[in-house]
Amino acid sequence: MTIKKMFIDGKWVHASSGQIRTIINPFNQEEIATVTEGDQSDAKAAIIAARKAFDQGDWSSTPATERSSIVHKIADLIERDQQKLAELESLDTGKTVEESREDMVDIAGVFRYYAEIGDKNGGEIISSPIPNSVSKVVHEPVGVCGQITPWNYPLLQASWKLAPALVTGNTLVMKPSEITPLTTIKMFELIEEAGVPAGVANLVLGAGHTVGAELSTNVDVDLISFTGGIETGKKIMQAASVNVKKLALELGGKNPNIVFADADFNTAVDQAMNAVFFHAGQICSAGTRLIVEESIHDEFVEALVERVNNIKLGNGFDKDTQMGPLISAEHLAKVEKYVETGKQEGAKLLTGGRRPKDPALQNGFFYLPTIFTNCTTDMHIIQYEAFAPIITVEKFQTEQEAINLANNSTYGLAGGVWTNDIVKAERCVAKMRMGTVWINEYNVYFPHAPWGGYKQSGIGRELGKLGLEEYTETKHILHNLKPEPINWFGD
C-alpha cells in the first residue's frame, strides 16, 4: 500500500523519522491507508516554510481579489470531487456516506462564503480630531497560523480554519487528527491544484503530543486554532503563552435541549433524536442533555425510547444505515466506562447501554443508542461530555427551573428550546449562556453565522465575519498632511 505523505513548502514528503501509521475503518477495523507519521522536526520544517512564505513571499501582499479567486477555485474542486471526498470521509470516520456527502456541500459552501467576503474587508476611514490629518483602520493577516483539527468532522472543521486563513493572506501549518487524516490530505492536493503558492499552506501528520505541541510552543507561530477536548485546550492555552499567541479554541459542550409541554410533540421527539444520534453522537453540539417539562416527561420518554430502538446500525456505505460506529476502541472503552458511572450514580438506563449483539457488527466499534432518566445536575453523566449516542433526561416544572438546569454546566456551546410560545422562547434564549441557541430547531449551522461558545467551551468564534476577523490584526494609521514643529522643548 502506498504511504500517503505530508505537504511541506510545496512538496509531498515523508516524515524525517521514517515512521508510519496505519489508518483503519472503524466499521470493521480493516486497514484503509498507511500514512507518514511526523514529529517535532517535521513541524519545525513546516513552520520555517510558513514563516518564510509570510515574511518573504507575496501571498500576504497579493490583492485580496486574487486570493479570493483561488479560494473560489478550491470550492470548485471540492464540488468536483464531492463523491470521492464523501466516501473517503466515511471510510475514515465510520459515518454514513449520506452524512459525509452533506458535509462536503457545507465545506464547499464555507470556502465559497469566505471567497465572497474576503476581498470586502478593506478597512475604514475614521474621523480624526487632529487637524489636517487622515485616520484609517486596516485589517492585516496575523502571520503564521497553527491549526489543529479533530477526528469527528475532519474536513468540515479543517474548512472552518483553512478558508478564512487563506483568504486573509496568512500562511499556515495544519495538523489533522492522527486517526482521521485522509480527507485533509486530499484537501491539500486540491489546495496545490488551485495554485496556492509553496509554503503558504503546509500539512504535518502526527500526534498531538509531538506535532501539536510544537505548533503551540514555537515562537514563530502567531496564532493557534484548536478544536478538540477541553483538557488539551487548556494545555495549548498554557503553551501558547510563550509568545502570547492569538488563540481560537473550540472545546466542546454538554448541550441542553429544553422541551416545553406546549411544543409540537412529534416534532420535538424527532428533533431530540436528530440532535444526538447523527455520527453516533460524536458531535460537539449534540443535544445530549434533554430537559423535559414534567407534565409530558413520561409520554415523551416513552415515545423517544420506541423510536430510538428502531435506529439501524451498520456500514456507512449501506443506504439503510442510520448510525455508524464510534471512532476507535479507545473511545468505545471510555463510553462503556461513562455508562457504568451513570448506573452507579443512580440514573435509570431505559435502553441501550451496551454493544450490539448483531454478529455483523462485532468487528466495529459500535454502541447502542442509549437513554438515561432520573438524572440530576450533580451527576458525572450530566456534567461531562460523552461524545457518544447517549441522551440523559432531566425534568422541570417552571420556566426558570429549565433555564437554571440548562446553565448548570462549565460548558456553553449550544442549546435548544422547543415551545410554541415565542415570547417564552425569547425569554429563555436571552438567559441561556451559550454561543448558539436554537428555537424549534437543533444542530443547524451555516457559514454566515458565527460559531463558538461561552465559558469553558472556548475562546473566539469560527464562521461568519467574526471567523474572518480571527485571522486578522487591526492597525490604525494616522497620516498628518501638514506636519509642523511642536516646540514643546523649545527651538
Side-chain angles (χ1 to χ4, degrees):
M1 184 177 289
T2 302
I3 298 173
K4 293 185 178 296
K5 303 174 184 178
M6 51 191 160
F7 192 63
I8 298 176
D9 202 14
K11 301 180 182 66
W12 292 95
V13 298
H14 290 290
S16 58
S17 67
Q19 294 296 308
I20 59 173
R21 177 185 291 269
T22 299
I23 307 301
I24 64 169
N25 182 347
F27 166 68
N28 56 14
Q29 301 188 56
E30 288 184 358
E31 179 179 336
I32 56 175
T34 302
V35 303
T36 195
E37 176 84 347
D39 57 20
Q40 287 100 328
S41 62
D42 302 294
K44 287 177 180 177
I47 293 166
I48 290 170
R51 186 80 264 167
K52 181 179 179 181
F54 185 79
D55 293 340
Q56 301 175 31
D58 298 327
W59 184 247
S60 63
S61 59
T62 296
T65 52
E66 292 184 27
R67 293 198 300 261
S68 289
S69 178
I70 290 176
V71 174
H72 264 304
K73 179 67 180 299
I74 295 171
D76 293 340
L77 296 173
I78 293 167
E79 291 171 349
R80 183 196 70 186
D81 294 347
Q82 179 187 88
Q83 184 63 26
K84 184 186 298 183
L85 285 164
E87 292 173 359
L88 198 58
E89 191 88 317
S90 289
L91 275 175
D92 218 357
T93 64
K95 69 171 68 176
T96 68
V97 174
E98 182 179 355
E99 286 182 66
S100 294
R101 194 178 295 114
E102 291 178 1
D103 288 346
M104 297 310 137
V105 173
D106 290 343
I107 289 162
V110 170
F111 277 91
R112 193 79 70 200
Y113 169 73
Y114 281 114
E116 290 171 353
I117 71 168
D119 59 356
K120 299 174 179 61
N121 194 27
E124 61 178 324
I125 301 296
I126 60 175
S127 177
S128 172
I130 309 299
N132 300 313
S133 70
V134 175
S135 181
K136 62 181 179 179
V137 173
V138 297
H139 304 286
E140 299 178 341
V142 172
V144 176
C145 302
Q147 302 179 328
I148 304 173
T149 57
W151 50 257
N152 61 330
Y153 283 87
L155 198 52
L156 184 67
Q157 293 293 332
S159 73
W160 292 13
K161 302 179 192 301
L162 287 169
L166 289 172
V167 83
T168 48
N170 295 278
T171 61
L172 62 95
V173 179
M174 174 164 281
K175 189 206 90 67
S177 168
E178 59 269 29
I179 58 177
T180 57
L182 300 185
T183 49
T184 309
I185 295 171
K186 179 62 178 175
M187 170 62 79
F188 273 75
E189 293 177 6
L190 302 184
I191 286 173
E192 181 184 28
E193 183 179 350
V196 174
V200 169
N202 303 274
L203 172 68
V204 181
L205 308 177
H209 69 274
T210 55
V211 177
E214 183 63 36
L215 291 176
S216 301
T217 57
N218 194 297
V219 296
D220 282 329
V221 175
D222 303 299
L223 174 150
I224 191 83
S225 177
F226 169 77
T227 301
I230 189 170
E231 295 306 319
T232 302
K234 290 178 180 179
K235 292 177 182 177
I236 288 173
M237 192 173 184
Q238 293 173 335
S241 66
V242 66
N243 66 327
V244 197
K245 288 177 175 61
K246 287 191 70 173
L247 283 171
L249 305 175
E250 202 266 73
L251 307 179
K254 187 64 177 174
N255 311 291
N257 194 13
I258 301 171
V259 180
F260 285 94
D262 62 358
D264 182 282
F265 186 89
N266 291 328
T267 300
V269 170
D270 177 73
Q271 290 275 6
M273 295 176 60
N274 292 341
V276 177
F277 296 121
F278 278 109
H279 197 15
Q282 298 169 126
I283 307 172
C284 59
S285 59
T288 55
R289 286 186 64 198
L290 186 59
I291 302 174
V292 183
E293 191 163 359
E294 188 172 42
S295 62
I296 63 166
H297 174 276
D298 293 351
E299 181 186 5
F300 195 94
V301 170
E302 182 181 355
L304 189 63
V305 169
E306 181 181 356
R307 290 198 57 183
V308 164
N309 285 337
N310 292 325
I311 293 176
K312 179 174 174 53
L313 279 61
N315 188 344
F317 286 78
D318 184 339
K319 64 182 179 60
D320 295 325
T321 295
Q322 296 172 310
M323 195 179 90
L326 298 175
I327 191 64
S328 65
E330 179 184 23
H331 188 51
L332 175 59
K334 289 179 180 179
V335 172
E336 290 174 326
K337 183 178 180 181
Y338 185 93
V339 169
E340 289 305 310
T341 299
K343 293 178 184 177
Q344 294 167 10
E345 290 178 314
K348 183 178 180 181
L349 180 64
L350 294 188
T351 190
R354 59 177 175 82
R355 298 198 61 193
K357 296 179 180 178
D358 184 348
L361 303 179
Q362 295 312 298
N363 289 334
F365 307 124
F366 286 92
Y367 201 80
L368 289 173
T370 299
I371 299 177
F372 277 113
T373 58
N374 294 357
C375 298
T376 56
T377 54
D378 60 335
M379 291 179 175
H380 177 90
I381 60 171
I382 294 295
Q383 292 297 329
Y384 290 89
E385 189 176 33
F387 234 54
I390 299 171
I391 291 178
T392 60
V393 187
E394 303 162 75
K395 65 176 68 172
F396 69 92
Q397 293 181 332
T398 68
E399 178 183 323
Q400 188 58 51
E401 183 183 4
I403 293 166
N404 291 346
L405 288 171
N407 286 334
N408 190 345
S409 173
T410 59
Y411 291 103
L413 184 60
V417 176
W418 293 87
T419 175
N420 284 321
D421 184 340
I422 187 61
V423 175
K424 178 166 61 179
E426 292 290 350
R427 284 198 304 265
C428 289
V429 300
K431 295 178 181 179
M432 293 169 71
R433 301 282 295 163
M434 294 137 211
T436 295
V437 184
W438 297 283
I439 298 174
N440 295 335
E441 185 58 87
Y442 208 93
N443 261 343
V444 170
Y445 90 97
F446 41 86
H448 312 71
W451 180 263
Y454 288 23
K455 297 187 282 188
Q456 293 188 42
S457 281
I459 297 172
R461 292 293 183 270
E462 293 186 297
L463 300 180
K465 292 181 179 179
L466 292 178
L468 192 75
E469 291 173 7
E470 292 285 356
Y471 288 94
T472 64
E473 294 280 16
T474 301
K475 177 183 288 183
H476 172 229
I477 301 171
L478 186 138
H479 180 188
N480 190 335
L481 302 175
K482 293 184 178 181
E484 297 177 353
I486 297 175
N487 293 323
W488 182 267
F489 298 101
D491 295 337

